Amino acid sequence: MSGLSKFEHKLETMISGAFARAFRSAVQPVEISAALQRECDNNAQILSRDRRIVPNDFHVELAAIDLDRLNPIDNGLAGHFATQLKEHADQQGYQFPGAISIEFEAAEDLTTGRFRIRSRSQAKVTGNASYTQVRRARAVLEVNGTRHPLQAPGLVIGRGTEADVRINDPGVSRRHIEFVVDANGDDVRIEVRDLGSTNGMLVDGHRITQTGVHDGTQVKIGNTTMTVRVIEEDVHV
């Protein structure tokens, strides 16, 4: 039995009547599952002979009427789709850069029974700071839904274990960039500098090697964009 056939069988035998009522529309779960797998196939990036990375963040857009029918059971459905994607990835030798996320959204331009999928690779991010350190910080770095304090003397961002903030992004070097924080009383100044990385960095869309940053500055390395946030209004950067 193929992977998709198994998936259909699971839905038929495990899911309650709520699913059956929801799927009276033309959009069928097996169609969405197949489309998610194709999204991985079409966007696989070859990193080496036996390593390919695929998107892990998916947005399924549907007509409002179809979304309303899915709302009662979309969390369970997303879990089944994620399991199916993991099985497909194992068969194809794909790797996800982080946890799989699948969300359903309404699209005004879609009619009943039509859907489309948007995807992106969102790398897993880990840091060394505690919750208390983040909460007390006067400036933080936001990366893929995580926050990391920008405190003196600074913060090294990279893919390697020696970095203070580690990003599982194949386009990021082991030690890619450093945020240098100079605190003198109430005056705090923050700079970002490239550490001789392979792919460099973009600061607010401009390729440079070193510059000062302020609240809202966006820095992109590899496929990952991070944003500087200043917590206190009277902090100067």
Side-chain angles (χ1 to χ4, degrees), residues 108-211:
E108 294 182 356
D109 63 321
L110 292 178
T111 57
T112 303
R114 302 293 299 275
F115 69 92
R116 62 171 169 257
I117 296 175
R118 294 183 291 108
S119 68
R120 63 176 178 171
S121 295
Q122 182 160 287
K124 179 181 178 182
V125 180
T126 55
N128 300 324
S130 66
Y131 171 78
T132 300
Q133 289 175 311
V134 175
R135 186 170 57 86
R136 293 179 177 177
R138 295 161 58 186
V140 298
L141 190 66
E142 295 181 345
V143 194
N144 290 355
T146 65
R147 304 185 101 198
H148 309 271
L150 287 168
Q151 300 172 326
L155 205 62
V156 173
I157 315 295
R159 187 166 43 86
T161 56
E162 65 270 30
D164 300 307
V165 175
R166 297 169 294 283
I167 303 177
N168 186 29
D169 183 329
V172 173
S173 298
R174 296 184 65 83
R175 286 171 52 90
H176 200 115
I177 59 174
E178 180 180 18
F179 286 88
V180 181
V181 182
D182 181 13
N184 183 11
D186 292 332
D187 186 34
V188 176
R189 299 186 183 278
I190 306 173
E191 289 188 349
V192 62
R193 64 186 183 189
D194 185 85
L195 297 177
S197 65
T198 301
N199 298 318
M201 68 174 176
L202 295 176
V203 180
D204 290 332
H206 302 285
R207 186 170 296 278
I208 51 181
T209 58
Q210 184 170 344
T211 185

Side-chain angles (χ1 to χ4, degrees), residues 61-105:
E61 298 182 344
L62 308 116
I65 188 170
D66 286 328
L67 183 63
D68 288 342
R69 289 167 173 165
L70 291 179
N71 273 337
I73 40 78
D74 58 359
N75 288 335
L77 188 60
H80 282 284
F81 286 156
T83 298
Q84 191 71 13
L85 277 177
K86 290 176 183 176
E87 293 177 359
H88 181 66
D90 289 341
Q91 293 171 0
Q92 301 299 322
Y94 296 154
Q95 294 184 14
F96 297 105
I100 297 174
S101 174
I102 301 174
E103 296 185 4
F104 301 90
E105 302 174 354

Side-chain angles (χ1 to χ4, degrees), residues 35-87:
L36 288 168
Q37 293 182 32
R38 287 196 301 270
E39 192 72 12
C40 288
D41 296 338
N42 294 336
N43 292 280
Q45 298 182 39
I46 299 176
L47 303 179
S48 62
R49 186 174 63 179
D50 55 356
R51 186 180 177 214
R52 288 180 289 177
I53 194 166
V54 293
N56 62 316
D57 185 69
F58 302 89
H59 294 259
V60 181
E61 298 182 344
L62 308 116
I65 188 170
D66 286 328
L67 183 63
D68 288 342
R69 289 167 173 165
L70 291 179
N71 273 337
I73 40 78
D74 58 359
N75 288 335
L77 188 60
H80 282 284
F81 286 156
T83 298
Q84 191 71 13
L85 277 177
K86 290 176 183 176
E87 293 177 359

Side-chain angles (χ1 to χ4, degrees), residues 24 216 232:
R24 286 174 183 167
E232 297 180 359

